[in-house]
Amino acid sequence: MNRFAIKAGLGACVLGASVLIPAQVSAEPAATATGTELSGMTVFLDPGHQGSSEGHDLAQQVNDGRGNTKDCQTSGMTSLGGVPEHTINWNVSQLVKSSLESLGAKVVLSRQDDTGWGGCVDERARAASESNADVAVSIHADSTAQGEDASKHGFHMIIPSLPIPDEKADAAQSGGGLEASTMMRDAYKSDGFVPANYAGVNDGLQTRADVAGPALTQIPLVFVEMGNGSNKEDSAQLESTDGQLKHAITITTGVVTYLLTGSEAAPAEELAAAPAATTAPEASEDSASSTTTTTPKATTPKAAPKSTAPDSAQFSELMEMLAPLLEVEGLDGLEDLVNDKNLGLVSDLASTLMAVITGAGGN
């Protein structure tokens, strides 16, 4: 099975485009997805920022995880086309959530809507830690200017300067967090995204000591900056239905790759037996905090992951295939895509993803 089939499977899974069949993207047979491949696993998704800060003080000082304090929250960037970052983050997170849940994962959100308050950065870190998730993903978009900035572009993952004062956070981010961030970076590069060319980003990774989330989170965390909203090309992609879908597919690929092949992943036989699971200098960070503390899960090493992503030309071909489905289903944009009906459907094409990542298919 070729690598393009994987992305077609993810794309269809995210969209809920059940009218497609594997034969349309690959002549080779695919294993049947059971929807339980990620059963027993939990992912904490943090759509950065919030719809409204009314009644809250963004400048309230909270713990930064390194013995100092910082602002409770930032307002987030606004793209060149006028779309607020919190909405871009929310749309992408909903598509990622749907895809992961269709494979059996439990997904916990830091905020429950895109209209109200989403919590201070320390609250979101605490909620992530108390979720006992296998991995947390904080989804953001960056900016480098109030207006257009043509010279700076690209994605990056923010990783914390080590060591982190809190021993549990240090262990989580120096181990699984760094591994998951690297896998996410690789997924982005494989999908044709270009690493950021500013702010000291090194091959898609930026090390920082001033971002509270990673320093306070006691489970592996990936902090994604999808692109620069001040750059015309990056902004257009962040705003568009196709662009948000592409980011969602890439983020889902990074998460699934880490969960199934990372050093903290459960053995394949354990997965098979698992029951079904019912920005600028100041990075954007963010939700509802949980109150239940649980014991970390045991982990077992697995083999290194295979590269699974297609090139840009292949993704363009996928998007051309999926475009007619939007018309057939009467979907005008993400406001129509992100609804209970469409997100609840799971395409048979999702099996192509699992067949390759779990080693059931060839390359």
Side-chain angles (χ1 to χ4, degrees), residues 10-17 95 245 322 325-326 331 337 342-343 345:
L10 260 181
C13 182
V14 172
L15 282 173
L95 294 170
L245 173 61
L322 294 180
L325 292 174
L326 300 181
L331 305 177
L337 276 176
N342 290 305
L343 292 182
L345 297 174

Side-chain angles (χ1 to χ4, degrees), residues 70-158:
K70 69 178 304 176
D71 289 352
C72 155
Q73 186 56 262
T74 57
S75 58
M77 70 89 180
T78 298
S79 70
L80 292 177
V83 182
E85 181 189 344
H86 67 80
T87 295
I88 296 170
N89 300 338
W90 177 258
N91 288 341
V92 172
S93 72
Q94 291 303 286
L95 294 170
V96 174
K97 176 178 181 289
S98 171
S99 185
L100 293 173
E101 287 180 338
S102 74
L103 297 173
K106 175 184 177 181
V107 177
V108 179
L109 290 172
S110 66
R111 57 185 173 101
Q112 304 309 308
D113 56 53
D114 194 40
T115 57
W117 173 248
C120 295
V121 294
D122 61 329
E123 293 175 307
R124 296 185 182 219
R126 181 166 60 251
S129 300
E130 294 177 350
S131 72
N132 197 36
D134 296 274
V135 67
V137 183
S138 192
I139 299 174
H140 295 264
D142 201 11
S143 65
T144 55
Q146 290 295 323
E148 184 175 352
D149 188 348
S151 66
K152 298 181 181 68
H153 59 83
F155 79 89
H156 63 279
M157 310 296 142
I158 294 177

